[in-house]
Amino acid sequence: MARTCLAVVLAAGDATRMKSSRSKVLHTVGNLPLIAHVTRTAAAAGVSKIALVVGRDAALVAETARSGHDVPVATVEQTERKGTGHAVLMAREIINEGFDDIVVLYGDAPLINPESLLAAISQRASGADIVVLGFRAADPTGYGRLIERDGELIAIREHKEASADERAIDFCNGGVITFSGTEAASLLEAIGNDNAKGEYYLTDIVEIARTRGLKCVAIEASEEDMMGCNTRAELAEIEAVWQARARHAAMLSGVSMIDPASVFLSHDTELGNDVTIEPNVWFGPGVSVGAAATIHAFTHLEGADIGPGAMIGPFARLRPGTELAAKTKVGNFCEIKKAKIGAGAKVNHLSYIGDAVVGAGANIGAGTITCNYDGQNKHVTEVGAGTFIGSNSSLVAPVRIGDGAYVGSGSVITLDVPDNALAIGRARQETKPGRAERLREKIAAIKALTKKA
Ligand code: UD1
Ligand code: CA
């Protein structure tokens, strides 16, 4: 973008209808806070600076808004909520630093895309003084209506102020308004609050600009792109749109999903080519999956790096810090946390592997548990390459099982096992020939006695 652009992001609403103890814009879509979606989109469109208008949770909102991009973010506080026009004016000092374009965005509308912002800015470059992004609303109730004449926008009428004829218009203000940085302060200062809500409406800027002979236009975006969030029900609708888009993009990039609607992705989920995802899989933040891996049904993943060709689940849980090398297998009812599992190693049934390093080709038998926590500290378990851990073993950390070692089933391993050794840590079996018959007779005799009594 050759032009300089300031994005003013409004995030000071009181969000009463969310009924939440935290700021609305900290609620998430695709496991990323709404405000971060908006600021990252602004950054992707190439804005030069972001002015963030904040209310409650200011510090956390600002920190979140800064994450994931390197456009400078300046925050200004709006202590009293007096309307969108008033909110933008809070950023007056930053606006006056001098920008070609000012674009106003809402912190609670995360589906806006960089292309729409660039389309608005290109209209500005070709001579429009104010560009408003509008959409055709299935139900326009509550939105500001875009009133056009001869291809120009002549006013935005808020629902509460609109006449019956104006209310019949379905072309609505999506909230993204772009205007000249040099005119901005003087236009914003001319906004009054003589209206149904007693608020300073940013939308009045259009009629004010018209009286000064400025040209205003509206361009159309999709209703989905402009979705805003006032309630948790609307948040869920936005999530559904976001998820559908993310799944669609993943499938177009070479990922197979058998029942896409049941797969939940995060904003940073990375899926390689030929990955197959079965139904009901949850990707929390920080998951990457290498090519041709299969994620079987009902698997829960978070902070895990899965190598190519791995087979995960069904019913597996990978927690943060999991690193699985190529062609590993983690089967049903296994939980892995902060553990590196080497290439081709298998953890197939009912195991907990935490704070561990497992070598390539190791076979971890059913029900193996790394006892990593002593009630105060976490300790590491090392399992060498090519080891065989018998079923139902407890590996009491800190402990090291050497390369190529064998651990007998049912062992409790508290001491290091050298390379290629066999370790058995369980009570020795005793077998008493014929004793089963005598035991049965004894039990029967006791039963007869208790019946008589
Ligand atoms: C606004 C528009 C309306 C548009 C609709 C689209 C105005 C006057 N109306 O209406 O034309 O169709 O959005 O969704 O602009 N905010 C502040 N401080 C304030 C007031 C609002 O930060 O003092 C923030 C809110 O947190 C929100 C955004 O600005 O993110 C929009 O405010 P909201 O009250 O939701 O505006 P609407 O009545 O929905
Ligand atoms: Ca709104």
Side-chain angles (χ1 to χ4, degrees):
M1 202 191 284
R3 304 167 68 87
T4 58
C5 178
L6 173 72
V8 179
V9 180
L10 305 189
D14 44 16
T16 336
R17 285 187 285 160
M18 288 294 281
K19 300 197 171 21
S20 176
S21 61
R22 58 196 167 127
S23 162
K24 170 163 69 175
V25 299
L26 293 175
H27 288 258
T28 61
V29 160
N31 273 320
L32 183 72
L34 302 177
I35 190 67
H37 281 273
V38 176
T39 52
R40 289 177 192 200
T41 296
V47 304
S48 350
K49 187 166 181 172
I50 294 169
L52 185 65
V53 184
V54 286
R56 67 204 274 198
D57 298 333
L60 189 53
V61 170
E63 184 191 327
T64 310
R66 287 193 178 101
S67 72
H69 66 86
D70 38 342
V71 174
V73 177
T75 59
V76 287
E77 232 176 301
Q78 187 194 27
T79 44
E80 255 185 303
R81 190 193 149 95
K82 294 183 177 174
T84 48
H86 179 258
V88 177
L89 208 46
M90 296 295 103
R92 175 180 8 210
E93 273 182 33
I94 304 165
I95 289 170
N96 286 340
E97 287 171 16
F99 296 89
D100 295 317
D101 303 301
I102 309 293
V103 52
V104 175
L105 299 166
Y106 292 168
D108 61 1
L111 297 176
I112 184 75
N113 56 53
E115 294 73 28
S116 297
L117 302 185
L118 289 170
I121 288 162
S122 101
Q123 286 282 321
R124 283 261 316 120
S126 51
D129 294 292
I130 296 186
V131 184
V132 175
L133 280 189
F135 65 98
R136 301 273 165 199
D139 174 11
T141 311
Y143 292 113
R145 306 302 206 282
L146 300 182
I147 303 170
E148 292 177 293
R149 192 192 299 146
D150 304 328
E152 286 191 24
L153 183 65
I154 59 169
I156 305 177
R157 192 78 68 231
E158 288 307 300
H159 184 87
K160 283 199 170 157
E161 330 285 331
S163 66
D165 279 357
E166 288 166 341
R167 285 186 180 183
I169 297 170
D170 70 347
F171 195 27
C172 295
N173 172 25
V176 178
I177 302 187
T178 308
F179 41 89
S180 150
T182 46
E183 317 262 11
S186 122
L187 289 170
L188 292 166
E189 275 156 14
I191 295 172
N193 67 348
D194 181 16
N195 54 47
K197 281 183 166 176
E199 283 187 1
Y200 295 86
Y201 291 161
L202 174 62
T203 44
D204 284 351
I205 199 173
V206 170
E207 278 178 295
I208 295 166
R210 296 271 309 174
T211 64
R212 301 183 185 182
L214 300 177
K215 183 183 170 190
C216 308
V217 296
I219 57 178
E220 192 176 332
S222 78
E223 180 163 16
E224 277 185 352
D225 287 350
M226 309 256 63
M227 281 170 86
C229 164
N230 299 308
T231 63
R232 290 176 201 249
E234 285 171 2
L235 182 65
E237 284 171 29
I238 293 172
E239 181 81 62
V241 172
W242 189 92
Q243 289 291 336
R245 289 178 176 182
R247 291 186 297 247
H248 191 73
M251 288 186 281
L252 292 188
S253 78
V255 172
S256 290
M257 294 187 187
I258 296 160
D259 178 21
S262 72
V263 175
F264 181 96
L265 299 173
S266 282
H267 67 102
D268 58 354
T269 305
E270 287 175 25
L271 304 170
N273 245 10
D274 285 318
V275 164
T276 297
I277 302 170
E278 290 186 354
N280 296 300
V281 174
W282 191 83
F283 289 87
V287 177
S288 68
V289 184
T294 300
I295 313 294
H296 292 291
F298 297 100
T299 290
H300 191 283
L301 308 155
E302 187 179 0
D305 193 350
I306 299 168
M311 308 257 269
I312 311 301
F315 297 98
R317 178 169 185 212
L318 304 186
R319 293 171 52 203
T322 297
E323 289 177 41
L324 307 181
K327 297 203 166 151
T328 44
K329 283 189 179 175
V330 175
N332 39 235
F333 309 110
C334 291
E335 173 180 345
I336 316 279
K337 185 217 76 168
K338 205 174 174 191
K340 286 186 189 185
I341 313 263
K346 295 176 192 159
V347 187
N348 269 339
H349 328 271
L350 301 152
S351 287
Y352 170 64
I353 305 297
D355 300 297
V357 181
V358 174
N363 186 95
I364 309 287
T368 297
I369 305 292
T370 52
C371 309
N372 60 327
Y373 187 50
D374 59 15
Q376 294 183 37
N377 304 294
K378 302 275 170 67
H379 301 284
V380 172
T381 301
E382 285 178 69
V383 176
T387 50
F388 182 96
I389 309 293
S391 295
N392 199 34
S393 292
S394 304
L395 310 178
V396 182
V399 73
R400 178 176 189 279
I401 320 287
D403 291 346
Y406 241 84
V407 168
S409 300
S411 289
V412 177
I413 300 294
T414 54
L415 304 172
D416 286 357
V417 179
D419 290 356
N420 295 309
L422 165 64
I424 305 171
R426 64 185 184 224
R428 185 173 286 277
Q429 180 173 333
E430 261 185 86
T431 308
K432 298 177 178 176
R435 276 283 287 276
E437 189 58 22
R438 274 158 57 200
L439 184 62
R440 257 192 301 277
E441 284 166 8
K442 201 170 161 185
I443 293 167
I446 292 167
K447 195 173 176 184
L449 272 173
T450 41
K451 258 193 190 161
K452 270 183 208 155

